[in-house]
Amino acid sequence: MDDRLRFSRRIRFLLLAWLRRSRSGRIEFVRRFTYKEIIKATEGFRKVIYSNYHGSAYRAKFKDGELALVKELKSLDLGKERFNEEVQLLGRLRHRHLLTLRGFCIGRKRLLVFDNIENGSLKEHLNDPLKTPLNWKTRIQIAIGVAAALEYLLIFSSNDAQIYDVSVNSCNIMLDENFTPKISDIRVNRHPQNHPKATHDSCSEGSCADEECGNVIFQLGVLMLELITGQSSDRQGKDLIEWVQDSCIANSIDKMIDPDLGNNYNSRELQKVLAVARLCIKSRYEPPSFSITHVYRYLQKKIDVAT
């Protein structure tokens, strides 16, 4: 059985590596938008979806009627050549659970345009009382989908000189018209020589000793807590973790579950997801003995929801 498992892992890694190589040429169909088009689509950059150290993201609606995400990059050293490189590298990424690069704008600001955010951010659906609450099946699909995308990103980076940095939370997980989750906050690491290169073993099959890999696992754990509780974190997960821990200590796990779920969830599945989330959160304080791939496969195997 162990030999079969190792063989299946090896085959999966080879397929992902082949996918990376097959998509590694020059990108096509990435449009250059004018600054005037961006201003009009974003209504003067008024519709902010999220903002962080790396830049701000805005909701945009172009002439074709499709809702898109426009991201402004704040890197001070991002000249024209390096910005074009960023466009090329981000344009190579292809995954069902990553926002696809649709275009760019270079002028007064460095802007990237990503497509299909029909249902906005995950945070909106967890916090906005006017939004239709997400059911349990959709929440599990979001967790599994994000884990799948993180596995893809880490393996992609393990075969590439440029490391892709990623941030995961309810603010920057976008939902398309089918509520399929899309990670939106992906960046090209500008100093790969100072960023330990992830390896095949550390990212996909073995432990995750790399600091960045462990940080990503921690963020995934916080995201799972957000999906269970319906609460979004404002302090990099610290506030939410403390609240969940207090509920567990008081033996009142039921109190931590999002009231919008009512009784419409599988308690055994919830316990499994909560257990995984707790393990992931520990990676903030000590190197995890598991990888993103382990988390993804566990959720797929133990939770009866197809992605």
Side-chain angles (χ1 to χ4, degrees):
M1 185 67 180
D2 291 339
D3 289 340
R4 290 181 181 178
L5 182 58
R6 282 194 292 270
F7 177 74
S8 66
R9 288 176 176 176
R10 180 62 180 168
I11 291 297
R12 179 177 179 80
F13 171 74
L14 290 174
L15 287 173
L16 284 169
W18 170 84
L19 177 61
R20 185 202 69 81
R21 290 192 298 271
S22 69
R23 304 294 180 97
S24 61
R26 292 182 62 83
I27 57 174
E28 299 178 1
F29 309 120
V30 175
R31 177 186 166 191
R32 180 169 182 169
F33 289 85
T34 66
Y35 192 68
K36 185 177 179 180
E37 287 178 301
I38 300 292
I39 287 288
K40 185 175 181 180
T42 60
E43 297 184 14
F45 298 105
R46 286 202 297 267
K47 297 184 176 181
V48 180
I49 299 176
Y50 65 85
S51 184
N52 56 34
Y53 174 79
H54 303 282
S56 299
Y58 307 90
R59 187 186 305 275
K61 187 173 184 179
F62 291 92
K63 287 183 178 180
D64 59 9
E66 185 174 348
L67 291 174
L69 179 143
V70 171
K71 185 186 295 183
E72 176 187 352
L73 303 181
K74 291 183 179 178
S75 301
L76 297 177
D77 62 342
L78 203 60
K80 184 176 181 180
E81 183 177 343
R82 299 192 75 173
F83 178 71
N84 288 337
E85 179 188 24
E86 182 114 355
V87 171
Q88 289 288 326
L89 289 169
L90 292 177
R92 290 163 57 182
L93 298 174
R94 290 290 186 276
H95 192 277
R96 182 187 178 199
H97 298 293
L98 297 178
L99 277 186
T100 300
L101 185 67
R102 177 179 175 184
F104 65 97
C105 175
I106 185 167
R108 300 181 192 177
K109 299 181 179 182
R110 301 290 190 257
L111 301 163
L112 299 172
V113 181
F114 296 88
D115 64 5
N116 202 350
I117 59 165
E118 188 69 32
N119 276 308
S121 71
L122 173 59
K123 182 176 181 177
E124 293 174 39
H125 288 271
L126 293 177
N127 293 170
D128 190 343
L130 299 180
K131 295 282 188 180
T132 302
L134 300 174
N135 60 37
W136 177 246
K137 179 179 178 180
T138 300
R139 297 183 195 215
I140 292 300
Q141 287 175 327
I142 290 171
I144 295 175
V146 170
L150 291 175
E151 179 195 44
Y152 168 84
L153 278 174
L154 290 172
I155 292 180
F156 202 110
S157 291
S158 72
N159 289 276
D160 206 312
Q162 287 280 357
I163 298 293
Y164 292 93
D165 289 333
V166 59
S167 176
V168 173
N169 57 56
S170 59
C171 293
N172 56 44
I173 301 297
M174 300 296 127
L175 303 174
D176 69 8
E177 68 276 6
N178 297 315
F179 290 92
T180 302
K182 310 275 186 177
I183 297 177
S184 70
D185 196 3
I186 306 167
R187 306 169 301 278
V188 176
N189 176 39
R190 288 289 148 197
H191 306 285
Q193 68 274 16
N194 298 324
H195 198 306
K197 186 174 179 179
T199 65
H200 169 201
D201 289 335
S202 69
C203 285
S204 62
E205 291 189 2
S207 63
C208 191
D210 176 79
E211 182 179 350
E212 177 63 20
C213 187
N215 184 49
V216 169
I217 288 179
F218 169 77
Q219 291 179 44
L220 179 60
V222 174
L223 180 70
M224 285 189 277
L225 290 183
E226 290 182 299
L227 290 166
I228 292 171
T229 64
Q231 305 291 323
S232 58
S233 175
D234 295 322
R235 291 192 289 136
Q236 297 183 322
K238 185 177 180 181
D239 50 345
L240 182 57
I241 292 170
E242 290 175 350
W243 182 72
V244 169
Q245 288 175 337
D246 290 342
S247 296
C248 291
I249 291 173
N251 293 319
S252 55
I253 293 179
D254 290 342
K255 291 183 180 180
M256 78 169 65
I257 300 170
D258 187 352
D260 286 338
L261 285 171
N263 294 317
N264 300 316
Y265 62 89
N266 184 308
S267 59
R268 292 183 63 184
E269 289 181 352
L270 186 143
Q271 291 283 354
K272 290 174 182 177
V273 175
L274 183 58
V276 173
R278 287 172 176 167
L279 284 175
C280 290
I281 287 167
K282 290 181 180 179
S283 65
R284 184 172 189 174
Y285 311 104
E286 57 187 49
S289 59
F290 56 92
S291 68
I292 286 289
T293 297
H294 290 134
V295 176
Y296 172 50
R297 289 179 181 159
Y298 179 85
L299 292 174
Q300 271 198 319
K301 183 178 179 180
K302 298 296 184 180
I303 309 298
D304 187 24
V305 179
T307 57

